[in-house]
Amino acid sequence: MTTFEGIPMARTPAGHTLVNATIDEIHEKSLLRKSLRRFDLVFFLICTVVGLDTIGAVAKNGAQGFTWLIFLAVVFLVPYGLLMAELGSTFPFEGGPYVWCRLAFGRFVAALVTVLYWCSNPIWLGGTLTILAVSAFSDFVTPLHGPAEVVFALAFIWFAVASAIVSFRFGKWVPSVGAFVRLAVVGFFTVSVLLYAARNGVHGFDAPAFAPGYAVFIAVVPVLIFNYVGFELPSSASEEMVDPRRDVPRTIAWSGAGAVLLYGLPVLAILLVLPASRVTGVGGFLDAAKEVLTVYGGTVSPDGTVTLTGTGKILGAVTAAAFIWALLSSGTTWIMGADRAQAAAGFDGAAPRALGRISPRFGTPVTVNLLSGVVSTVVMLVAFRLSGGSADRYFTIALGVAISTTTMSYLGIFPTLVRLRRTHPDEHRPFRVPGGMTGAWIAGSLTTFWAVVATVWLLWPGLGVDWFGASGNPDQALPAGIGRAAFELIQVVPVVLLLAIGVLFYVLGAPTRTRRAAPGEVSATDERGMAPDER
């Protein structure tokens, strides 16, 4: 063992040498604290993968939404889980996706990918999660308008940011409690649907309703891909885990099985209670919950208006509070993980050095956390203004931007498995995707294919519905009241802007890249092996 500027150093177990590691990286990693155990990771992943915000967006496509949910669980979720289990256990380094891209394709590509990956989350927090929280409070507690709506949204956003700032020792309880809340909400909702069905009957659907169709396929696939991603997120905090090599593959398996169940049950329940024509993206889960809660007290008028009374009203308020907490824990968890990936880029020289600061007090990337809060606040204010008071329009626009930036980032993450199999063949792999290189190619190709498909259909909704003699109007896939030109502008401009920011971040990271640690040495907490020709 040797030391470099007073910090313990060692070679990697696999015999690789650390090339182009920065002095800043070594210093910042010395401030990290190990506090994530297997128990924490299971609930962290449940909060990451199972989001209640998009259940309505799936259910509004009718029974076909459930068909495609199961289909993508097989052709996307399974290979995706295998891929992330290998990467997360083989390369357990702070920054996760950033490090994998950096190892596979170099700092510049990693800089672009990480900006998309990071910034999609404050867009999501300030967009879809905030409007759903506002809607839940307005529908079940008291209506929010004007300044009250903005104050509530600000409190929602900055509580999530504050939870990401505090030490993982305390902050990890937000996703842990959020996971339990999810289980309680979905369980209570499902039981209430059974009681509702026994008393009032159900809307129901026949077998042909599950038959797949192209128009629904292209509408629901991007949302389902967005639902299922997140297995890599805890790996952004790998060096804060107690035993990532053992825990990552197991927790991915458990949370993957739970994700299918926790998405499938409420989607089916919503379709049993409400006809697809009455389900909206923003209100699907909330509208169905409100109607089934009438079994405890309340009425449904002939025009579908629901009024809760007595116990039903009390349970409605409790359900809304639990729903808001579930949304909050989703946003907090993603901010925690994605911000660490961006911080890793900062202390590695692929972003401004200031973004790579780890707080000595909390052991968290406070600067990036605060920047995420600022971005979320701006997105919220802009989206409120652009939506013209339409919650559903705001939800659709914000969700589209959040999903497209997310899926584009995975275009740089998914291919790293095959690349790292070739460039780092001697790394110890506690878990391998079965089937050797063929299995790696299948997992990498399937996941990348679906990321491409989701991105294309998000950037151009309705693509292909009028091809090959098929009937339909592609513009019907657009949000109501928004033309094609306006929609494309709203979707494309943020992507171009984020890519430009990625280039700028890389340029601003140049001074950090010059402060290299001694060749052939690596901090005792970092077992990463890098190829000598890596840029």
Side-chain angles (χ1 to χ4, degrees):
M1 180 75 66
T2 60
T3 61
F4 184 68
E5 295 197 349
I7 300 172
M9 312 289 287
R11 286 189 178 277
T12 67
H16 296 291
T17 57
L18 185 65
V19 176
N20 287 348
T22 67
I23 294 174
D24 304 85
E25 174 181 357
I26 296 169
H27 169 69
E28 299 299 340
K29 286 187 175 182
S30 71
L31 303 175
L32 300 174
R33 305 166 187 175
K34 290 185 180 293
S35 58
L36 293 176
R37 299 181 182 276
R38 187 176 301 174
F39 172 87
D40 305 313
L41 292 178
V42 170
F43 294 112
F44 193 97
L45 270 175
I46 288 177
C47 269
T48 299
V49 179
V50 181
L52 300 184
D53 57 306
T54 51
I55 288 176
V58 176
K60 75 176 183 178
N61 292 284
Q64 278 193 57
F66 182 79
T67 299
W68 294 120
L69 185 150
I70 300 302
F71 173 78
L72 284 174
V74 176
V75 300
F76 174 75
L77 186 66
V78 171
Y80 168 53
L82 294 173
L83 184 151
M84 290 304 167
E86 177 170 331
L87 290 174
S89 59
T90 304
F91 303 96
F93 312 116
E94 196 74 8
Y98 166 76
V99 176
W100 306 335
C101 290
R102 204 270 214 200
L103 290 173
F105 308 117
R107 277 192 178 99
F108 180 70
V109 172
L112 300 182
V113 169
T114 304
V115 166
L116 289 170
Y117 185 77
W118 159 64
C119 208
S120 64
N121 292 288
I123 291 173
W124 180 52
L125 174 62
T128 58
L129 295 185
T130 297
I131 191 58
L132 278 173
V134 169
S135 296
F137 194 88
S138 296
D139 289 347
F140 288 89
V141 182
T142 186
L144 295 172
H145 301 289
E149 186 177 54
V150 174
V151 170
F152 180 91
L154 288 172
F156 180 83
I157 289 169
W158 284 97
F159 184 88
V161 173
S163 300
I165 287 175
V166 300
S167 169
F168 245 148
R169 179 183 175 188
F170 303 105
K172 67 184 182 182
W173 286 103
V174 173
S176 294
V177 173
F180 282 109
V181 168
R182 276 167 175 71
L183 295 173
V185 168
V186 172
F188 177 68
F189 177 66
T190 304
V191 170
S192 298
V193 167
L194 296 177
L195 295 175
Y196 180 92
R199 175 180 296 184
N200 304 302
V202 293
H203 170 71
F205 36 76
D206 51 20
F210 290 93
Y214 181 76
V216 172
F217 178 57
I218 65 173
V220 78
V221 163
V223 179
L224 287 172
I225 296 297
F226 186 68
N227 279 351
Y228 281 144
V229 295
F231 284 150
E232 77 291 336
L233 195 69
S235 292
S236 294
S238 285
E239 293 179 46
E240 296 167 78
M241 297 181 191
V242 174
D243 190 0
R245 293 188 182 274
R246 289 174 57 88
D247 293 343
V248 167
R250 296 181 183 184
T251 54
I252 285 177
W254 295 340
S255 60
V260 177
L261 185 65
L262 291 175
Y263 277 129
L265 284 177
V267 167
L268 280 178
I270 289 172
L271 295 175
L272 284 170
V273 176
L274 298 176
S277 59
R278 283 179 51 196
V279 180
T280 65
V282 67
F285 183 83
L286 295 173
D287 291 343
K290 197 170 189 177
E291 184 155 333
V292 299
L293 288 176
T294 58
V295 301
Y296 307 107
T299 58
V300 181
S301 66
D303 65 355
T305 302
V306 179
T307 303
L308 295 176
T309 59
T311 304
K313 188 172 184 178
I314 295 173
L315 290 175
V318 173
T319 299
F323 182 77
I324 292 171
W325 183 267
L327 298 176
L328 185 63
S329 62
S330 286
T332 299
T333 305
W334 275 93
I335 291 293
M336 285 177 172
D339 283 9
R340 280 166 167 77
Q342 187 60 63
F347 58 61
D348 189 51
R353 178 67 183 91
L355 299 184
R357 303 288 183 190
I358 303 297
S359 167
R361 179 181 178 184
F362 300 114
T364 57
V366 174
T367 304
V368 184
N369 294 152
L370 293 174
L371 185 57
S372 291
V374 171
V375 173
S376 293
T377 300
V378 171
V379 169
M380 179 269 293
L381 295 174
V382 171
F384 271 147
R385 183 174 181 83
L386 291 178
S387 66
S390 171
D392 194 57
R393 184 186 302 174
Y394 171 22
F395 177 86
T396 304
I397 293 172
L399 182 62
V401 174
I403 298 178
S404 62
T405 51
T406 299
T407 55
M408 285 187 70
S409 72
Y410 285 107
L411 297 178
I413 296 173
F414 291 151
T416 60
L417 175 68
V418 174
R419 173 69 175 168
L420 292 176
R421 279 278 190 98
R422 294 186 180 278
T423 60
H424 292 68
D426 298 327
E427 289 293 334
H428 172 57
R429 287 172 164 79
F431 176 87
R432 284 179 174 266
V433 174
M437 279 303 297
T438 300
W441 270 104
I442 292 173
S445 298
L446 276 175
T447 51
T448 303
F449 168 76
W450 288 113
V452 170
V453 166
T455 301
V456 170
W457 284 336
L458 279 166
L459 295 179
W460 195 272
L463 180 67
V465 297
D466 56 350
W467 293 1
F468 311 116
S471 61
N473 181 1
D475 288 348
Q476 290 180 345
L478 297 171
I482 299 180
R484 174 67 66 179
F487 179 85
E488 297 303 332
L489 195 65
I490 292 171
Q491 296 297 313
V492 173
V493 168
V495 171
V496 174
L497 179 62
L498 289 179
L499 290 174
I501 291 174
V503 174
L504 177 62
F505 276 12
Y506 180 78
V507 172
L508 295 177
T512 305
R513 294 195 294 273
T514 65
R515 295 191 290 271
R516 299 179 181 179
E521 295 181 315
V522 60
S523 75
T525 60
D526 190 346
E527 299 177 346
R528 176 176 35 176
M530 294 187 180
D533 61 347
E534 185 189 10
R535 297 191 299 271

